[in-house]
Amino acid sequence: MPQFRLSEAARLLGVSDDTVRRWVRAGQLTAFDDSAGRKVVDGAELAAFAKAQAEQPEDPSSVGRSARNRFVGLVTEVVTDKVMAQVELQCGPHRVVSLMSAEAVRELGLRPGVLAVAVVKATTVVVETPEGSR
């Protein structure tokens, strides 16, 4: 079973080591000593905890769609030329970049600071693991 030291768990969750230690003390996460005597958290428990903690802002578009991958965020950068544009959004800890027509950018009023939703519908998603983590 995969195990993560508290500092690794903190990095994966985007919080401080102290926060993870507080969660352990409060019983929200279970830590135990590994063979080297370091405090670790079970990977499956950490994954379930991360999923439960994830807060996705409400999608302001109120549009029904088949795509399940929606990332609500703020436009941070727009680079346009005469025909095409690159739009960057910061969606929580995730940076999402989209290429679209300059006309679409104008019609949507996209500029830094605007609330937007990146909708991703992909038939191919590549999943990687660090070398040796089997």
Side-chain angles (χ1 to χ4, degrees), residues 83-103:
V83 177
M84 293 299 296
Q86 176 179 311
V87 178
E88 181 177 311
L89 286 83
Q90 192 65 42
C91 304
H94 305 287
R95 175 179 170 256
V96 179
V97 178
S98 177
L99 301 176
M100 64 185 72
S101 69
E103 179 182 21

Side-chain angles (χ1 to χ4, degrees), residues 74-79 86-89 95 111-112:
L74 294 171
V75 175
T76 57
E77 187 174 359
V78 178
V79 178
Q86 176 179 311
V87 178
E88 181 177 311
L89 286 83
R95 175 179 170 256
R111 63 189 181 287

Side-chain angles (χ1 to χ4, degrees), residues 3 16 24 42 45 48-49 53-54 63-64 67 73-74 85 87 90 102 115 119-120 124 126-128 134:
Q3 300 170 350
S16 70
V24 168
D42 171 67
E45 181 182 351
F49 183 80
Q53 293 294 312
V63 173
L74 294 171
V87 178
Q90 192 65 42
L115 178 65
V119 179
V120 180
T124 303
V126 177
V127 176
E128 300 175 336
R134 294 183 200 228

